[in-house]
């Protein structure tokens, strides 16, 4: 099992984590530094020296902008956190998430890593604050039980008072468990429970058995608190009583997490009874509202896996090679690489994707040979290979407004767009232009001469010193 601590150790071994040892206060400063680090593709940032109990860490499940980094991919940290290894390809990760497997948790009697502390004051934890100075709760889970079944649900919220949490949760969770209810809020959990919670409650269906979904993704250990099954590796556990928040107290001006775009939400209050923490606890958080944040990365992969599973079961065959909702597009743009089964198939494929998700209003269809790691080439095909007059197809302006794009926020109807950047399947092979690459642009003798000359000049050693990839073959 890859706990948060083990995950960060691996990132440190690959120079993908930096520790900020200078004093950075949890009130305002930590979130500001994390926001700047996220915008500029910095490594994972661990704040070692704050005045609170916890050590906040930003970017643990995020990743680099594909337009800015040639060596790192946005999904690598999540794949590594799921024990799939740093070399896991994008398609392998999506196929793993799309399997929707469940499994029994091997150990439900492990002792919790967190121990109850004397103080139940949430402010003393030192969680990074929101813009109005209240502690932020993100990348955590709500743990609640009903009739012997425990579920884990995504949350976003803040400390309302020193012993009250105000949380946004999927509305279906509140309907499933009914309040008041005894609950736990856990922070600093591993990636599998976070992903499984999104799969269970934000995919247009209710799947309460989230712990079993998490066990199907990776090894997960759990313990029991009261009648609830709780991830035993949680760095912070807050136990209390959940009630529906007063409608007059609900505020809608705070930045929302990416998962809140996918489902109806409800606001609840958790009256804190006990707080349990590990020694020197580490709590991942995300500066909501910024680009390329952890919550966007997680939601992009979960939504992509759902679409991949549904589309490849729709026609009785599996024509789709991969689907991607690039984090750079904040969930508002869908790219699909597929075999074109017949003329007009790309139109059916785009409409099917629109029917399965309301996050995006743009679909780009690429040939099956397209590389999921080359976003620049995909965007290039959108402008060069697809003709704006013939291959950019707008729907009638009566489509519902997509949930994720930052424009059309007034809820009015508009058009959807799909772009066909594929070769017509009716064309003969000789009419289809080959991809121009280094290998196809020169003859074999020229290629051999270039490689020999490269080695004679010792350019591999020079580039290695500068940290540049030398995979020229």
């Amino acid at each position: 099992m890859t706990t948060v601590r083990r995950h960060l150790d691996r990132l440190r071994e690959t120079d993908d984590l930096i520790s900020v040892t200078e004093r950075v206060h949890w009130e305002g400063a930590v979130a500001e530094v994390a926001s700047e680090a996220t915008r500029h593709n910095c490594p994972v940032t661990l704040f070692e020296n704050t005045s609170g109990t916890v050590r906040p860490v930003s970017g643990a499940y995020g990743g680099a902008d594909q337009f800015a980094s040639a060596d790192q991919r946005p999904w690598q940290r999540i794949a590594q956190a799921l024990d799939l290894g740093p070399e896991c390809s994008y398609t392998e990760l999506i196929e793993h998430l799309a399997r929707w497997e469940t499994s029994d948790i091997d150990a439900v009697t492990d002792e919790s890593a967190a121990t109850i502390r004397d103080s139940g004051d949430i402010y003393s934890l030192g969680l990074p604050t929101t813009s109005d100075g209240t502690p932020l709760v993100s990348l955590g889970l709500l743990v609640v039980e009903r009739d012997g079944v425990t579920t884990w649900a995504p949350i976003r919220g803040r400390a309302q008072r020193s012993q009250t949490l105000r949380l946004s949760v999927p509305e279906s969770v509140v309907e499933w468990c009914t309040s008041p209810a005894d609950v736990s809020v856990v922070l600093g959990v591993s990636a599998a429970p976070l992903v499984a919670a999104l799969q269970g409650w934000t995919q247009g269906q209710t799947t309460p058995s989230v712990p079993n979904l998490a066990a199907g993704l990776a090894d997960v250990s759990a313990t029991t608190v009261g009648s609830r099954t709780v991830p035993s590796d949680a760095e912070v556990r807050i136990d209390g009583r959940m009630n529906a928040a007063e409608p007059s107290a609900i505020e809608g001006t705070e930045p929302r997490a990416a998962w809140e775009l996918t489902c109806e939400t409800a606001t609840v209050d958790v009256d804190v009874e006990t707080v349990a923490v590990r020694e020197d606890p580490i709590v991942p958080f995300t500066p909501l509202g910024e680009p390329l944040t952890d919550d966007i990365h997680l939601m992009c992969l979960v939504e992509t896996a759902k679409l991949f599973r549904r589309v490849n079961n729709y026609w009785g065959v599996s024509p789709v090679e991969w689907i991607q909702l690039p984090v750079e597009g904040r969930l508002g743009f869908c790219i699909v690489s597929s075999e074109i089964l017949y003329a007009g198939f790309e139109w059916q494929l785009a409409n099917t994707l629109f029917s399965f998700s309301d996050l995006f209003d743009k679909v780009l269809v690429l040939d099956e040979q397209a590389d999921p790691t080359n976003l620049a080439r995909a965007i290039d095909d959108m402008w060069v290979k697809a003709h704006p007059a013939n291959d950019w197809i707008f729907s009638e302006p009566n489509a519902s407004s997509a949930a994720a794009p930052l424009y059309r926020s007034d809820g009015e109807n508009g058009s959807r767009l799909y772009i066909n950047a594929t070769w017509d399947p009716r064309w003969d092979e000789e009419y289809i232009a080959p991809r121009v690459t280094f290998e196809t642009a020169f003859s074999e003798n020229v290629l051999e001469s270039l490689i020999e000359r490269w080695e004679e000049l010792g350019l591999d050693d020079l580039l290695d010193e500068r940290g540049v990839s030398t995979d020229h073959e």
Side-chain angles (χ1 to χ4, degrees), residues 157-199:
R158 58 193 177 102
Q160 185 67 13
R161 293 181 295 276
S162 62
Q163 292 189 311
T164 302
L165 289 174
R166 176 155 293 163
L167 304 175
S168 175
V169 299
E171 188 176 61
S172 51
V173 174
V174 178
E175 294 172 349
W176 176 78
C177 69
T178 67
S179 57
D182 292 325
V183 299
S184 295
V185 174
V186 291
L187 306 174
V189 294
S190 56
L194 294 177
V195 172
L198 295 175
Q199 289 180 325

Side-chain angles (χ1 to χ4, degrees), residues 268-423:
V268 298
D269 284 340
V270 176
D271 295 323
V272 177
E273 296 173 356
T274 59
V275 176
V277 299
R278 294 187 67 176
E279 184 178 354
D280 295 326
I282 301 174
V283 174
F285 79 101
T286 187
L288 297 174
E290 300 294 338
L292 305 175
T293 51
D294 294 30
D295 61 314
I296 297 177
H297 282 80
L298 289 165
M299 198 64 237
C300 280
L301 290 174
V302 168
E303 188 74 5
T304 295
K306 178 192 78 172
L307 294 173
F308 185 82
R309 182 179 66 254
R310 291 187 176 181
V311 169
N312 269 340
N313 290 326
Y314 189 74
W315 284 277
V317 293
S318 301
V320 172
E321 293 294 326
W322 54 267
I323 299 175
Q324 188 175 144
L325 273 64
V327 290
E328 294 83 357
R330 297 196 188 190
L331 293 162
F333 185 34
C334 178
I335 303 176
V336 54
S337 169
S338 176
E339 177 187 1
I340 304 303
L341 301 178
Y342 45 78
F345 178 76
E346 71 285 345
W347 176 83
Q348 290 185 344
L349 177 58
N351 279 303
T352 302
L353 290 168
F354 284 133
S355 69
F356 287 155
S357 178
D358 62 356
L359 288 177
F360 48 83
D361 53 11
K362 300 172 292 295
V363 170
L364 172 62
V365 184
L366 304 176
D367 286 308
E368 59 185 311
Q369 296 84 9
D371 182 359
T373 66
N374 197 338
L375 180 59
R377 174 58 66 85
I379 301 301
D380 189 49
D381 280 359
M382 181 177 74
W383 291 106
V384 176
K385 188 174 177 181
H387 195 291
N390 302 320
D391 302 316
W392 288 46
I393 313 299
F394 290 87
S395 72
E396 295 295 324
N398 53 12
S400 300
S401 177
L406 300 180
Y407 51 84
R408 284 177 60 192
S409 58
D410 55 3
E412 295 294 325
N413 290 344
S415 294
R416 287 173 174 161
L417 166 67
Y418 93 85
I419 303 166
N420 178 19
T422 65
W423 297 115

Side-chain angles (χ1 to χ4, degrees), residues 37-349:
T38 300
R39 292 192 198 105
H40 294 89
N41 296 299
C42 289
V44 178
T45 307
L46 174 62
F47 298 89
E48 297 277 12
N49 189 4
T50 70
S51 57
T53 303
V54 306
R55 291 179 289 163
V57 59
S58 173
Y61 304 118
D65 182 343
Q66 291 184 76
F67 291 114
S69 174
D71 299 323
Q72 293 179 311
R73 305 300 178 190
W75 53 85
Q76 282 181 326
R77 293 173 190 167
I78 296 176
Q80 194 166 338
L82 292 174
D83 286 329
L84 299 177
E87 302 303 322
C88 174
S89 70
Y90 177 75
T91 52
E92 289 172 340
L93 175 58
I94 293 303
E95 288 171 355
H96 180 73
L97 297 179
R99 288 177 192 144
W100 201 267
E101 294 179 348
T102 59
S103 178
D104 293 332
I105 297 178
D106 293 333
V108 188
T109 57
D110 284 357
E111 291 187 8
S112 174
T115 56
I116 295 176
R117 52 185 294 185
D118 296 334
S119 172
D121 184 359
I122 303 170
Y123 278 79
S124 66
L125 292 174
L127 298 173
T129 62
T130 60
S131 57
D132 61 358
T134 55
L136 170 71
V137 178
S138 62
L139 296 182
L141 298 175
L142 177 74
V143 181
V144 62
E145 176 267 344
R146 191 194 78 171
D147 298 334
V149 177
T150 295
T151 196
W152 301 338
I155 56 175
R156 187 272 306 169
R158 58 193 177 102
Q160 185 67 13
R161 293 181 295 276
S162 62
Q163 292 189 311
T164 302
L165 289 174
R166 176 155 293 163
L167 304 175
S168 175
V169 299
E171 188 176 61
S172 51
V173 174
V174 178
E175 294 172 349
W176 176 78
C177 69
T178 67
S179 57
D182 292 325
V183 299
S184 295
V185 174
V186 291
L187 306 174
V189 294
S190 56
L194 294 177
V195 172
L198 295 175
Q199 289 180 325
W201 294 104
T202 68
Q203 301 286 280
Q205 62 189 56
T206 298
T207 308
S209 56
V210 171
N212 301 108
L213 284 175
L217 291 171
D219 291 335
V220 175
S221 66
T223 187
T224 55
V225 175
S227 59
R228 304 180 296 280
T229 302
V230 180
S232 61
D233 65 316
E235 298 280 324
V236 175
R237 191 188 77 244
I238 302 170
D239 302 322
R241 188 78 169 165
M242 180 183 74
N243 294 278
E246 294 294 332
S248 59
I250 299 173
E251 302 176 8
T253 58
E254 299 175 355
R256 295 190 294 170
W259 66 263
E260 294 180 84
L261 301 173
T262 68
C263 60
E264 296 295 327
T265 61
T267 303
V268 298
D269 284 340
V270 176
D271 295 323
V272 177
E273 296 173 356
T274 59
V275 176
V277 299
R278 294 187 67 176
E279 184 178 354
D280 295 326
I282 301 174
V283 174
F285 79 101
T286 187
L288 297 174
E290 300 294 338
L292 305 175
T293 51
D294 294 30
D295 61 314
I296 297 177
H297 282 80
L298 289 165
M299 198 64 237
C300 280
L301 290 174
V302 168
E303 188 74 5
T304 295
K306 178 192 78 172
L307 294 173
F308 185 82
R309 182 179 66 254
R310 291 187 176 181
V311 169
N312 269 340
N313 290 326
Y314 189 74
W315 284 277
V317 293
S318 301
V320 172
E321 293 294 326
W322 54 267
I323 299 175
Q324 188 175 144
L325 273 64
V327 290
E328 294 83 357
R330 297 196 188 190
L331 293 162
F333 185 34
C334 178
I335 303 176
V336 54
S337 169
S338 176
E339 177 187 1
I340 304 303
L341 301 178
Y342 45 78
F345 178 76
E346 71 285 345
W347 176 83
Q348 290 185 344
L349 177 58

